[in-house]
Amino acid sequence: MKNTNRNLNQSALVSMKVLLSAVVHMQSLSKDWKSIAEKAGIPLSNFADPSLFVSLESSLRFCELAATSVGDDSFGVAAGAATKIGDGRIFDYFVLSAPTVRQALNNWVRFQATRTNAVDIGVQIEDGKAFLNWGISDIFGPRTQFCGMLMAFSATRIRHMLAQEDPALIVEFTHSEPSNIDEYHRVFGPGVTFNRDHDRVGFDTKYLDIPLPTAEPTLFSIIEDAALNELRQRQWENTDLIRISKQVGNSLKQGDMTLDTVARDLGMSKRTLQRTLEGSNTSFRQLVDDVRRELAGRYLTETDLPMSEITFLLGYSELSVFSRAAKGWFGMPPKAYRQERMN
């Protein structure tokens, strides 16, 4: 059987338009982004055509390598914040020309599929706060920089929409606190926290129905038609494999990871799930191992979780079993891998 990750990574895609923010920021720092792209496995010719898509895995790797090259663990946040209003092209205009903040957020969710099939985004109302949630699954590997770029991009747009109100933002990240915390405070303000359950940007619900100063009904109608056309043209393939992989990751964390439970939670029969995996040249066992490897890589490099908790989150009963698996994945014990990647 082929490695599941190869099939999964070919299915989980991101628009080149998203990565251009990181490239522009590297250029502003006079850094060699081309060598980073080559290391990440992204053809340089892709950057000349924003209509192309690239694997999410390569996108995440590009952003992580860029941060290492620059020597700044807030690289993604700085790149997202530096993306000028309008550089998001039709996506920017469709959000910012909406009549209200509520409609703008709904448009964000509605047309996220024009940019990626691998990032879940949604609006959540909680305790008098409205949150824009960015669901970037752990199964694709370390994602601190990519997530920071998306969160900073969204925060700057929300601030632009509410410029006359100057709202206090509530910003939560699942990863641990960075060394360059000052950049996070500069971009998001004092309300940024880490090691949380979600990656999200929020503000008081009283702002939801405020008319946007940038609202343009005629332009909105024109752009909506263009966005709908782009959405119809974007036909995603192999989304079932992505959905199954995400559910495996969720089931591992919940401590109830079997073929039966994954199939049930997805609303599939066991046979349908198995046929879907066979169609992607993999098996349930191989998929679980691949997802565990990606989760382990993220937990070891982006969180401060103790080994015992990582063991549990990966669905292992004993640390010794996790250690043996890590040696097979990374060529070294998990503690050594964490130390090597943190240095």
Side-chain angles (χ1 to χ4, degrees), residues 18-224:
V18 177
L19 273 189
L20 288 178
S21 294
V23 171
V24 170
H25 188 55
M26 288 199 75
Q27 289 174 328
S28 73
L29 299 173
S30 300
K31 296 295 182 179
D32 180 14
W33 64 269
K34 293 183 179 180
S35 64
I36 299 299
E38 290 173 347
K39 289 178 183 178
I42 303 175
L44 295 180
S45 58
N46 281 25
F47 292 89
D49 187 354
S51 68
L52 296 177
F53 283 71
V54 67
S55 75
L56 176 60
E57 180 199 34
S58 296
S59 301
L60 299 183
R61 189 184 304 128
F62 179 87
C63 292
E64 296 299 323
L65 289 171
T68 300
S69 172
V70 172
D72 182 2
D73 61 0
S74 69
F75 169 82
V77 167
T83 306
K84 297 177 181 178
I85 301 297
D87 284 356
R89 297 178 171 81
I90 190 172
F91 195 79
D92 256 355
Y93 292 116
F94 188 52
V95 170
L96 299 176
S97 63
T100 66
V101 175
R102 187 189 300 273
Q103 184 62 56
L105 296 183
N106 289 337
N107 288 347
W108 217 320
V109 174
R110 186 181 177 194
F111 289 96
Q112 179 64 12
T114 63
R115 295 296 178 261
T116 177
N117 65 341
V119 177
D120 297 323
I121 183 173
V123 177
Q124 179 183 7
I125 306 300
E126 180 182 302
D127 298 329
K129 301 292 187 292
F131 289 97
L132 188 64
N133 287 353
W134 292 94
I136 307 173
S137 178
D138 297 329
I139 66 173
F140 299 104
R143 54 183 174 74
T144 293
Q145 302 306 321
F146 187 79
C147 181
M149 186 168 66
L150 294 184
M151 295 268 281
F153 179 91
S154 61
T156 55
R157 270 67 189 161
I158 290 171
R159 281 220 173 92
H160 182 78
M161 288 188 284
L162 296 172
Q164 297 176 346
E165 306 295 334
D166 192 24
L169 297 183
I170 304 98
V171 182
E172 299 175 358
F173 286 98
T174 56
H175 62 74
S176 56
E177 184 175 311
S179 299
N180 188 3
I181 188 65
D182 290 343
E183 181 65 9
Y184 278 73
H185 286 154
R186 183 189 72 81
V187 172
F188 300 112
V192 57
T193 55
F194 303 91
N195 295 312
R196 305 303 296 270
D197 293 332
H198 306 280
D199 294 298
R200 58 186 188 175
V201 180
F203 52 89
D204 198 292
T205 54
K206 68 182 181 181
Y207 299 118
L208 278 176
D209 296 311
I210 290 178
L212 291 186
T214 54
E216 296 185 44
T218 302
L219 178 62
F220 179 78
S221 178
I222 295 171
I223 294 176
E224 183 178 31

Side-chain angles (χ1 to χ4, degrees), residues 292-293 295-303 305-308 310-311 314 316 318-342:
R292 277 175 164 154
R293 179 176 65 248
L295 288 174
R298 171 169 141 65
Y299 294 151
L300 291 171
T301 60
E302 295 191 339
T303 76
L305 293 173
M307 294 298 163
S308 58
I310 294 176
T311 298
L314 295 179
Y316 292 120
E318 298 179 4
L319 178 57
S320 59
V321 180
F322 169 41
S323 295
R324 284 197 298 273
K327 288 179 183 177
W329 296 330
F330 310 127
M332 63 186 74
K335 288 184 179 179
Y337 181 77
R338 171 176 269 176
Q339 292 171 350
E340 179 183 85
R341 296 300 293 269
M342 293 299 187

Side-chain angles (χ1 to χ4, degrees), residues 1-4 7 275-283 286:
M1 293 252 179
K2 294 181 181 179
N3 185 291
T4 308
N7 298 324
R275 282 199 300 267
T276 301
L277 295 178
E278 288 168 2
S280 295
N281 296 318
T282 190
S283 67
Q286 181 64 56

